[in-house]
Amino acid sequence: MSAATRRLTTAQALVRFLAAQYTERDGVRHRLVAGTWGIFGHGNVAGVGQALVEYGDVMPFHQGRSEQAMVHAAVGHARHLNRLSAQAVTTSIGPGATNLVTGAALATVNRLPVLLLPGDYFASHAADPLLQQLEHPSEADVSVNDALRPVSRYFDRINRPEALLASAPRAMRVLADPAETGAVTLALPQDVQAEAFDWPEEFFADRVWRVRRPAPDPEELADAVRALRAARRPLIVAGGGVHHGEAEAALEALVDATGIPVASTQAGKGSLRHDHPADLGGIGHTGTAVADDLARTADLVIGVGTRYSDFTTASGTLFQDPGVRFLNLNITAFDAHKLAARTLVCDARAGLTALTGALSGHRVPSSYEDEYRAGRARWEETVRAALRADDENAVPTQTQVLGALDAVVGDEDVVINAAGSLPGDLHKLWRSRSPRQYHLEYGYSCMGYEIPAALGVQQAAPGVPVWALVGDGTYLMNPTEIVTAVQEELPVKLVLVQNHGYASIGGLSESVGAERFGTDYRHRAADGTFTGAPLPVDLAANAASLGMDVLRAKTVRELREALSTARAATRPTCVYVETAAGDAPGAQAWWDVPVAEVSARDAATGARARYEQAVADRRHHL
């Protein structure tokens, strides 16, 4: 007797398969692929597009406006749900597919799951060359989708329907595995998408991918405990893995028991609530003075779920104690072994809980606790001064915009940012009140992430106020998903800060001798110099034209009122504010951006001298 089968096209079978996939951790089940974003063209409209119509009852569909933005939205969704749920993105062949590359890189760099389903050439080659097909003179199996290979954690081209039987489960395994996850690409030749096949019924059965919490190896744990008991000035660096592993309570228990202070990366901020006595705030180039001062004298650095980017390590110049050593707790061995560290390759919650139990009775010296608590108090004064606005009728500075927002948000609000000068100000100044409030994408620092990511977060957390903070430069990169927010009635809040240019890169340009060239949005004279007059561009009107309600704020008082109104709004709302110049707290640690070794201009030669002095402090931790 033959096994039961179901005759479907490849695209129909894929959609039915995806709808039956689940993750489960700690007894809680989630849809692994919770929905599909799509922009249709030739290459996916007759295959995946038709399948999504066929099975719209089991696979929610979201219409995007930009392929890159759709990936950002899916990544925002996955991050907010701790990587336990992902979304798929389908595109046409050609530019629709290549527009995925930036989003895929962002997902993989940040270790966040997203499923990419780009259309491809005909597997039969019957219609070569297709519209938009890349023809390679010596490799007929190459397509533009191969550009996705280096930024994908798993890639396959489904050249036969039955290939999906093996490839689809492999793709799900990578999506659901916290040690391997990132962008997963299944390139779909358009003729194969529409081809029918007799699929075994077992292919469509519910499948649960259990997300494990691997415990630490006993010998690694014993070695880690010895190192911690011997340390006099230990420092925890909390990364995004604390959040992904839902390990915030376990971290707090360890800190309460031992007194070890915690500094956080951009992805890890909020691992402790901002007012916890051991929370030092951000670390590294955009970190706080207290965190960076302690990092310079730490004798043991305990990295939890961090990949140690150059911003975190101040390009190898931050950890300066002659005998400093590293202990890395990470679910990914690749990251755990960085900086010649002792390793605890395990789940963050499991590892932190095991350390707390094994360190029973151990506590750092009271003098060390007194030192970092005094440093916290000094930095809090800096924060208050930066966020405070003494004149309610003045044009706000950017840090005062953050102060106004801080006064309005609740513990449950989510604040999203990714690039420009805001990440530095937020990392140093924002007071995180809950694990999900601070949502900074800084692994890829991708301008244009914020608005679409806010959509993904809003889908993951209905009813939660979600804020996208963008400058004018970032807004001009990718405002298109405002239309999707309006279409799907997602009440995201956009704070649009107008400062007439690339503020962050302008400051960097000045510091490295490039004299802010090409970083202002202002009129140019015939000789190429800026006249100083802002361009006659109205970004608030643009946001309104895309369907948002727009509130214009000119003063600190108007800003606070507008933010309060936006928070209560039930449809997409933009708060537009033009900021005055103002100095945020400066960088507390260096960052390596190479400077021209020779130049005829004084700005560059001066910057080179400062660069050579700073780079001399770099260490290779071996």
Side-chain angles (χ1 to χ4, degrees), residues 15-16 19 31 49-61:
V15 170
R16 290 295 307 185
R31 278 280 297 266
Q50 189 281 327
L52 289 169
V53 172
E54 190 97 9
Y55 297 118
D57 58 330
V58 295
M59 179 57 68
F61 174 72

Side-chain angles (χ1 to χ4, degrees), residues 243-301:
H243 295 312
H244 300 326
E246 297 174 329
E248 297 90 354
L251 175 63
E252 185 174 12
L254 174 65
V255 170
D256 288 345
T258 64
I260 301 173
V262 176
S264 54
T265 69
Q266 286 279 17
K269 193 172 170 74
S271 294
L272 287 183
R273 187 179 159 95
H274 75 93
D275 52 6
H276 190 285
D279 181 62
L280 309 181
I283 190 170
H285 178 64
T286 54
T288 68
V290 58
D292 287 351
D293 285 347
L294 259 67
R296 293 184 180 97
T297 59
D299 57 358
L300 181 67
V301 179

Side-chain angles (χ1 to χ4, degrees), residues 193-282:
Q193 289 181 50
E195 186 175 344
F197 182 74
D198 293 323
W199 302 88
E201 283 290 347
E202 292 87 348
F203 189 58
F204 307 113
D206 286 359
R207 184 176 305 207
V208 177
W209 301 87
R210 286 191 168 79
V211 181
R212 300 178 294 276
R213 289 194 180 276
D217 175 81
E219 291 188 8
E220 285 194 335
L221 179 61
D223 192 28
V225 169
R226 283 192 292 271
L228 278 161
R229 288 188 179 276
R232 301 290 295 171
R233 300 180 63 82
L235 172 66
I236 293 172
V237 176
V242 176
H243 295 312
H244 300 326
E246 297 174 329
E248 297 90 354
L251 175 63
E252 185 174 12
L254 174 65
V255 170
D256 288 345
T258 64
I260 301 173
V262 176
S264 54
T265 69
Q266 286 279 17
K269 193 172 170 74
S271 294
L272 287 183
R273 187 179 159 95
H274 75 93
D275 52 6
H276 190 285
D279 181 62
L280 309 181

Side-chain angles (χ1 to χ4, degrees), residues 64-88:
R65 268 72 194 176
S66 155
E67 291 86 1
Q68 177 181 320
M70 293 192 298
V71 185
H72 294 336
V75 168
H77 171 95
R79 173 171 168 170
H80 193 78
L81 294 177
N82 300 320
R83 307 192 293 199
L84 295 171
S85 181
Q87 292 177 318

Side-chain angles (χ1 to χ4, degrees), residues 9-15 36-57 59-62 89-92 117-119 188-190 193-194:
T9 68
T10 303
Q12 291 165 356
L14 177 59
V15 170
T36 298
W37 289 87
I39 296 175
F40 295 114
H42 83 96
N44 70 337
V45 66
V48 174
Q50 189 281 327
L52 289 169
V53 172
E54 190 97 9
Y55 297 118
D57 58 330
M59 179 57 68
F61 174 72
H62 311 292
V89 177
T90 178
T91 73
S92 62
L117 304 173
L188 302 172
Q190 50 195 298
Q193 289 181 50

Side-chain angles (χ1 to χ4, degrees), residues 562-588:
L563 292 170
S564 295
T565 300
R567 188 172 187 273
T570 58
R571 66 180 314 277
T573 302
C574 170
V575 175
Y576 174 86
V577 58
E578 187 164 354
T579 55
D583 292 330
Q588 304 298 310

Side-chain angles (χ1 to χ4, degrees), residues 507-526:
L508 177 62
S509 173
E510 186 172 35
S511 73
V512 298
E515 303 175 50
R516 293 185 176 263
F517 179 75
T519 63
D520 275 337
Y521 290 165
R522 298 179 185 274
H523 283 289
R524 284 181 179 272

Side-chain angles (χ1 to χ4, degrees), residues 105-194:
L106 182 149
T108 296
V109 164
N110 286 285
R111 279 69 160 166
L112 293 167
V114 62
L115 177 62
L116 308 180
L117 304 173
D120 215 322
Y121 54 51
F122 281 32
S124 66
H125 294 287
D128 287 2
L130 301 173
L131 175 65
Q132 300 177 329
Q133 181 179 351
L134 174 73
E135 291 186 279
H136 195 287
S138 61
E139 298 180 68
D141 63 341
V142 168
S143 83
V144 295
N145 287 333
D146 289 284
L148 287 160
R149 288 182 184 270
V151 293
S152 297
R153 294 290 288 165
Y154 179 83
F155 180 98
D156 196 9
R157 180 175 286 115
I158 309 301
N159 284 316
R160 291 292 307 142
E162 57 267 35
L164 197 63
L165 293 171
S167 192
R170 292 172 187 162
M172 297 304 101
R173 183 194 67 78
V174 174
L175 282 178
D177 189 336
E180 294 191 39
T181 197
V184 168
T185 300
L186 296 178
L188 302 172
Q190 50 195 298
D191 53 345
V192 177
Q193 289 181 50

